[in-house]
C-alpha cells in the first residue's frame, strides 16, 4: 500500500450536542410540569376526564411556549453573532493596528514566541476574512451558529416536552379515578425520571446515580406540593 493510501482514520466527534441539549430541556420540563399539574388536580377533582383534559391543554400550551423559547434563544444567538461579526469587520477596517496587536497578543498567550507570533500575525492579517474569524473565535469565544438551529430547537424542544408530558398523563387514560391515576402516574413518572436523570447526568459528565435521584426528587417534590396545595384550596373552598 502506498503512503498516499495509508491515511489516518477521521476523528469522530459528537455533532448532535445541540439536539441532545434541546431534548434534555424539553423532556425534563415535560416530565415534571404536567405530572405536577395532574397530581394537583387529582387532589381536587373526582373525574379523570377533567385531569386528562387539563393535562392535554397544558401539554399543548407548554409545548408551544417551550418551542417558542427555544426559537427565540436560537435567533438571539444568531443575531448576537451577526452584530459582533459586523463590529469586528468595522474594527479591522478602521483600527487595524489595534486589532493586529490583539492578534499578536493572542498568539503569545497560546504559547508562541514573540518572533513567531509576529510572523503568524503578519500572515493572518493578509486575509481580512480569516482575520475576523480568528478574532471572533479566539478573542470573543464565539462560534458561528447554524442559522437553521432556531427552528430545529423549537421543534425538538416542543416535541420532547409533549412526549415527556404524555408519560405521566397516560396513566389517567387507563384508570377509573384520579387517585388511581395518580398512583400509577407517580410510579411511571418516577421510574422515567430516574432513567432520564441517570442518562442526562452521564451525558453532562456528572455522577449518574446522584443525578437520577436528584431528578426524581425534583419531580416528586413538585407533584407533592401541587397535590397538597390543591387539597388545601379545596378544603378552604368547602
Amino acid at each position: 500500500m502506498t503512503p498516499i493510501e495509508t491515511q489516518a482514520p477521521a476523528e469522530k466527534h459528537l455533532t448532535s450536542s445541540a439536539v441532545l441539549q434541546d431534548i434534555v430541556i424539553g423532556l425534563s420540563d415535560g416530565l415534571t410540569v404536567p405530572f405536577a399539574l395532574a397530581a394537583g388536580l387529582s387532589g381536587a377533582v373526582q373525574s379523570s376526564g377533567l385531569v386528562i383534559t387539563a393535562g392535554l391543554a397544558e401539554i399543548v400550551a407548554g409545548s408551544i411556549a417551550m418551542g417558542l423559547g427555544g426559537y427565540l434563544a436560537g435567533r438571539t444567538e444568531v443575531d448576537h453573532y451577526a452584530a459582533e461579526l459586523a463590529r469586528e469587520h468595522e474594527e479591522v477596517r478602521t483600527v487595524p493596528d489595534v486589532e493586529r496587536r490583539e492578534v499578536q497578543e493572542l498568539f503569545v498567550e497560546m504559547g508562541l514566541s514573540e518572533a513567531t507570533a509576529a510572523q503568524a500575525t503578519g500572515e493572518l492579517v493578509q486575509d481580512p476574512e480569516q482575520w475576523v474569524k480568528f478574532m471572533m473565535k479566539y478573542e470573543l469565544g464565539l462560534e458561528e451558529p447554524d442559522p437553521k438551529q432556531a427552528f430545529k430547537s423549537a421543534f425538538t424542544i416542543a416535541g420532547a416536552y409533549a412526549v415527556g408530558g404524555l408519560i405521566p398523563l397516560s396513566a389517567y387514560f387507563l384508570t377509573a379515578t384520579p387517585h388511581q391515576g395518580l398512583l400509577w402516574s407517580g410510579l411511571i413518572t418516577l421510574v422515567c425520571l430516574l432513567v432520564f436523570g441517570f442518562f442526562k447526568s452521564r451525558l453532562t459528565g456528572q455522577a449518574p446515580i446522584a443525578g437520577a435521584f436528584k431528578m426524581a426528587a425534583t419531580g416528586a417534590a413538585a407533584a407533592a406540593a401541587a397535590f397538597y396545595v390543591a387539597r388545601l384550596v379545596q378544603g378552604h373552598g368547602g
Side-chain angles (χ1 to χ4, degrees), residues 28 31-33 35-36 39 189-190 193 213-225:
S28 59
L31 281 168
T32 53
V33 177
F35 177 42
T189 304
L190 288 178
L193 286 170
F213 281 102
K214 181 179 179 181
M215 178 68 73
T218 300

Side-chain angles (χ1 to χ4, degrees), residues 37-95:
L37 173 66
L41 289 173
S42 297
V45 302
Q46 302 300 317
S47 170
S48 293
L50 290 176
V51 177
I52 292 171
T53 300
L56 289 175
E58 196 287 326
I59 290 172
V60 172
S63 296
I64 294 173
M66 293 289 290
L68 181 59
Y71 174 79
L72 292 176
R75 285 305 312 170
T76 299
E77 185 179 359
V78 170
D79 293 341
H80 174 64
Y81 185 89
E84 291 296 331
L85 184 66
R87 186 177 65 82
E88 283 296 329
H89 274 292
E90 178 68 14
E91 290 179 351
V92 164
R93 186 180 65 83
T94 57
V95 286

Side-chain angles (χ1 to χ4, degrees), residues 37-149:
L37 173 66
L41 289 173
S42 297
V45 302
Q46 302 300 317
S47 170
S48 293
L50 290 176
V51 177
I52 292 171
T53 300
L56 289 175
E58 196 287 326
I59 290 172
V60 172
S63 296
I64 294 173
M66 293 289 290
L68 181 59
Y71 174 79
L72 292 176
R75 285 305 312 170
T76 299
E77 185 179 359
V78 170
D79 293 341
H80 174 64
Y81 185 89
E84 291 296 331
L85 184 66
R87 186 177 65 82
E88 283 296 329
H89 274 292
E90 178 68 14
E91 290 179 351
V92 164
R93 186 180 65 83
T94 57
V95 286
D97 292 339
V98 174
E99 293 296 296
R100 183 188 181 105
R101 186 165 58 252
E102 290 178 354
V103 170
Q104 187 167 335
E105 290 173 355
L106 286 170
F107 277 130
V108 171
E109 290 177 3
M110 293 176 186
L112 276 63
S113 65
E114 290 285 351
T116 304
Q119 181 180 356
T121 300
E123 294 180 5
L124 178 65
V125 299
Q126 298 302 314
D127 186 341
E129 289 297 323
Q130 294 301 320
W131 184 359
V132 169
K133 286 183 180 179
F134 179 87
M135 298 300 287
M136 292 291 290
K137 182 174 183 178
Y138 294 103
E139 181 191 27
L140 302 179
L142 297 176
E143 295 282 354
E144 184 175 4
D146 181 0
K148 298 179 181 178
Q149 187 58 44

Side-chain angles (χ1 to χ4, degrees), residues 35-44 179 182-183 220-236:
F35 177 42
L37 173 66
L41 289 173
S42 297
H179 287 281
L182 178 59
L183 291 176
F227 180 83
Y228 285 110
V229 166
R231 292 295 294 270
L232 182 64
V233 172
Q234 184 186 36
H236 282 296

